């Protein structure tokens, strides 16, 4: 047998190390999985930064991806309550059902803000488990990364050591990044802002900003002319430094109020892919801090 045929035979019979197939509900979890799994994971992200993660259609393409997944990574806290249960059930994939090792709910590993004392539909789209947008505090990302590293090692035991090493390197780099962001963002502390939806609460809490009001009269209820007019009167008495919205929000209400209140309207990426600069988790926080500093002249 010549050398070429022998080498070809070796390639054919050599065991192929399968990658972990990951179904990430939101871009931030797909990005975190990439940081921790590197070339040992194959990631599909179900939503984009320009989609409201509350309202996604459980379309056939999502079912097909979930059917082949080894691990589903989602925010939880009811963020995906309108579509994820359908995707999980109709996928027919026993590995990724809730409470199985193949289901990872990121928000369950951090302390959530704005947990309601009671529930009333008159309050709007309030989440019983608390505010689900936990990824906008980088300290939460670190906690979730620790748990996700453990889950990777559990599901792919043959590469457990590699996942632990990758996770350790990420934590070290992430700590340095947080220190840099917090130093740069120090002038933002105490600045009053108005936000579109209650999706910036963790960023606000982390940076020490003050949320004066929301463009939505109630969570999940679109801004109305009457509510915006009331906000304008409120801001004349107690001014804000900026009107802040996420990339997926309708820009018109923020522009309307910003022009009349004579303050800047800021678009934050909200998640990975929400701006040209937010190509990964580092870019997400780099760009969010930079945009807030630039628009408020707080450097």
């Amino acid at each position: 047998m010549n050398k070429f045929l022998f080498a070809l035979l070796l390639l054919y019979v050599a065991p192929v190390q399968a990658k972990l197939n990951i179904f990430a509900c939101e871009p931030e979890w797909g990005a975190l999985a990439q940081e921790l799994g590197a070339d040992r994971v194959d990631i599909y992200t179900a939503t984009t930064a320009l989609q409201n993660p509350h309202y996604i259609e459980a379309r056939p393409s999502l079912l097909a991806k979930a059917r082949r997944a080894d691990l589903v990574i989602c925010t939880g806290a009811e963020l995906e309550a309108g579509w994820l249960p359908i995707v999980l059930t109709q996928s027919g994939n026993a590995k990724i059902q809730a409470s199985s090792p193949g289901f990872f709910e990121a928000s369950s590993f951090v302390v959530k803000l704005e947990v309601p004392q009671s529930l009333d539909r008159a309050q709007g789209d309030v989440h019983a488990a608390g505010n689900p947008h936990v990824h906008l505090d980088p300290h939460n990302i670190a906690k979730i990364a620790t748990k996700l590293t453990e889950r990777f090692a559990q599901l792919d035991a043959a590469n457990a050591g590699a996942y632990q090493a990758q996770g350790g390197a990420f934590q070290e780099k992430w700590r340095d990044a947080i220190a840099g962001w917090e130093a740069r963002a120090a002038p933002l502390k105490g600045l009053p802002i108005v936000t579109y939806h209650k999706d910036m609460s963790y960023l606000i809490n982390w940076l020490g900003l003050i949320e004066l009001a929301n463009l939505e009269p109630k969570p999940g209820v679109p801004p109305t002319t009457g509510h915006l007019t009331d906000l304008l009167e409120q801001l004349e008495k107690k001014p804000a430094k900026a009107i802040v919205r996420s990339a997926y929000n309708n820009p018109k209400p923020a522009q309307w109020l910003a022009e009349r209140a004579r303050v800047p309207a800021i678009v934050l990426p909200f998640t990975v892919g929400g701006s040209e600069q937010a190509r990964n988790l580092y870019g997400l926080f780099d760009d969010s801090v930079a945009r807030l500093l630039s628009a408020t002249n707080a450097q």
Side-chain angles (χ1 to χ4, degrees), residues 24-28 45-53 56 59 248 269-274:
C25 286
E26 288 85 23
E28 59 269 24
T45 303
T47 60
T48 75
L50 300 183
Q51 291 178 295
N52 186 331
I56 301 298
R59 57 189 187 276
Y248 69 87
F270 179 68
T271 185
V272 174

Side-chain angles (χ1 to χ4, degrees), residues 114-133:
E114 300 165 359
V115 178
Q117 298 299 309
S118 62
L119 282 177
D120 184 345
R121 294 305 301 173
Q123 298 170 338
D125 188 14
V126 176
H127 297 266
N131 191 313
H133 306 291

Side-chain angles (χ1 to χ4, degrees), residues 129-147:
N131 191 313
H133 306 291
V134 299
H135 68 286
L136 284 179
D137 183 337
H139 294 283
N140 284 345
I141 294 288
K143 294 174 184 174
I144 293 165
T146 297
K147 296 298 183 181

Side-chain angles (χ1 to χ4, degrees), residues 172-285:
E172 185 175 350
K173 184 178 177 183
W174 194 248
R175 278 195 298 271
D176 291 343
I178 290 176
W181 294 322
E182 291 181 344
R184 285 171 53 203
L188 294 172
K189 191 171 184 179
L191 289 187
I193 62 171
V194 173
T195 62
Y196 191 109
H197 175 66
K198 296 292 289 183
D199 57 358
M200 297 287 175
S201 297
Y202 292 86
L203 184 72
I204 289 168
N205 185 63
W206 171 52
L207 296 178
L209 294 161
I210 297 173
E211 186 181 56
L212 292 180
N214 305 116
L215 299 186
E216 293 179 339
K218 297 176 182 177
V221 177
T224 63
T225 301
H227 180 63
L228 293 177
T229 302
D230 290 343
L231 284 181
L232 182 59
E233 292 179 3
Q234 177 182 332
L235 294 183
E236 289 172 353
K237 300 171 185 172
K238 191 172 184 179
K241 292 291 288 185
I243 312 297
V244 181
R245 69 172 178 88
S246 298
Y248 69 87
N249 293 139
N250 178 358
K252 292 182 179 178
Q255 290 171 353
W256 186 93
L257 185 60
E259 289 171 3
R260 285 158 180 78
R262 296 183 179 85
V263 296
I266 307 175
V267 184
L268 296 186
F270 179 68
T271 185
V272 174
S275 71
E276 179 66 23
Q277 295 76 19
R279 297 177 182 175
N280 55 32
L281 287 169
Y282 297 95
L284 168 63
F285 288 98

